[in-house]
Amino acid sequence: MSNQLKPAVDGHDHSQGPRSAPLELVEYGDYQCSYCGEAYPEVKAARQALGDKLRFVFRNFPLTEAHPHAQQAALAAEAAARQGKFWEMHDALYEHQDQLDSAGLQQHAQQLELDMDQFQSDLKSSAVTEKVEADFESGVRSGVNGTPAFFVNGELYQGNWQDGELTRFLQSQLQ
Amino acid sequence: MLEANTPAPDFKLNSTPDQKLALSDLQGQKVILAFYPADWSPVCGDQMVLYNETSKLFSKHNAQVIGISVDSKWSHLAFSQDRNLHFPLLADFEPKGEVARQYGVYDEETGEAKRALFVIDEQGVIQWSYLSPAGINPGANGILDALEEMDKKTA
């Protein structure tokens, strides 16, 4: 079975870092997953260490039955994206994993100074729901079997990501 | 291990403490039979949790997923409730591992089923099978690829 990223990163994805970067790191994550919470600073550290050599992309993989707030949190990030604040919401969600209920999501949206009427209607819109579902399905098709899952230049990364291992692996790929 | 184009051996096992499910009950839809070593072990948990989420993708192909291990109906009940699973787990409990043996995926050393997947068509014939290393969650992409191939053939 192939564990290649499908589809490849495109204009629908949220990314940080230059498109032309030699390394592309894609994470499939769930905002309520505690391991994803642990991976969040690891990814930040990798971005800092690699600078413009790394492009980072995040796709949603909410395990909705295991994590009751995961779906709403994913929708909130995508709704914030409609106002150009995906990464701000993404960071807020991972930095406050204990505030993912609807009051928590509202509060994050207010702190990011989102247009709240727009945010509410985007949360319920089919376009936002479809984005989250499409991300999930692409993860399944790419061989994601739990979260967080990382792909480096399109290949599923099977190694350890804790304790700086992700950064070291990415650095080793540059040589 | 049984390969593609083999008729899937029928079985009738407990799916809840007071209900039994037979493979023949499911004729007319595709069946994904997921043998796994044990309830509660960390990797299997992930695999069943994943199939819980992907069952909506399976149902687009008229396919029902079923988990099967040598655990008892009571263990399955507790495991299923704990993980909020919405598909049946069958107890291959007495005689222990009988169905796993019929499918060629019983591990004599551990006394558990191996981690094996079978996709069975509407007529009860195996169309795809896959054996995963015991420690590795095989994910759902192989299953979805197989279901897509089957839909192409019948289209």
Side-chain angles (χ1 to χ4, degrees), chain B residues 1 5-6 9-10 26-27 31 33 36 38-39 48 50 57 65 73-74 90 98 108-109 114 128 148:
Chain B
M1 177 174 181
N5 299 315
T6 314
D10 197 15
L26 297 169
Q27 272 208 355
V31 175
L33 202 53
Y36 63 102
D39 292 343
M48 294 303 124
L50 180 71
L57 302 178
V65 63
K73 57 193 181 182
W74 301 108
L90 300 184
E98 178 73 16
E108 300 283 348
E109 264 180 46
K114 294 179 184 171
W128 180 79
E148 238 163 50

Side-chain angles (χ1 to χ4, degrees), chain A residues 2-5 24 26 142 150-158 169:
Chain A
S2 77
N3 289 318
Q4 291 277 336
L5 185 69
E24 177 196 82
V26 176
S142 306
F150 292 102
F151 289 79
V152 175
N153 289 351
E155 282 282 340
L156 182 65
Y157 173 64
Q158 312 262 19
F169 175 78

Side-chain angles (χ1 to χ4, degrees), chain A residues 93-106:
Chain A
L93 296 171
Y94 275 131
E95 284 164 21
H96 303 93
Q97 277 191 301
D98 54 344
Q99 296 167 29
L100 299 178
D101 60 359
S102 75
L105 299 179
Q106 297 293 321

Side-chain angles (χ1 to χ4, degrees), chain B residues 121-144:
Chain B
D121 70 15
E122 290 86 341
Q123 285 76 42
V125 178
I126 297 169
Q127 292 295 336
W128 180 79
S129 62
Y130 178 79
L131 182 66
S132 184
I136 295 181
N137 173 351
N141 49 330
I143 296 171
L144 285 167

Side-chain angles (χ1 to χ4, degrees), chain B residues 10 16 19 31 34 40-41 44 77 80 97 101-102 112 114 117 121-122 130 135 142-143:
Chain B
D10 197 15
T16 69
Q19 280 177 307
V31 175
W40 308 111
S41 67
C44 328
L77 178 66
S80 204
R101 278 175 218 274
Q102 283 174 11
E112 295 171 339
K114 294 179 184 171
L117 299 170
D121 70 15
E122 290 86 341
Y130 178 79
I143 296 171

Side-chain angles (χ1 to χ4, degrees), chain A residues 1-4 6 61-67 71 133 136-147 158, chain B residues 46 49-50 52-54 56-57 60 83-84 86 117 128 130 136-145 148:
Chain A
M1 285 192 284
S2 77
N3 289 318
Q4 291 277 336
K6 288 183 273 212
F61 202 82
L63 294 170
T64 57
E65 297 291 342
H67 300 139
Q71 177 76 6
E133 284 175 356
F136 182 83
E137 188 161 353
S138 80
V140 173
R141 298 313 300 249
S142 306
V144 171
N145 57 19
T147 53
Q158 312 262 19
Chain B
D46 279 341
V49 165
L50 180 71
N52 207 26
E53 305 285 343
T54 54
K56 54 187 180 250
L57 302 178
K60 286 185 192 166
R83 305 293 155 100
N84 204 17
H86 299 303
L117 299 170
W128 180 79
Y130 178 79
I136 295 181
N137 173 351
N141 49 330
I143 296 171
L144 285 167
D145 289 347
E148 238 163 50

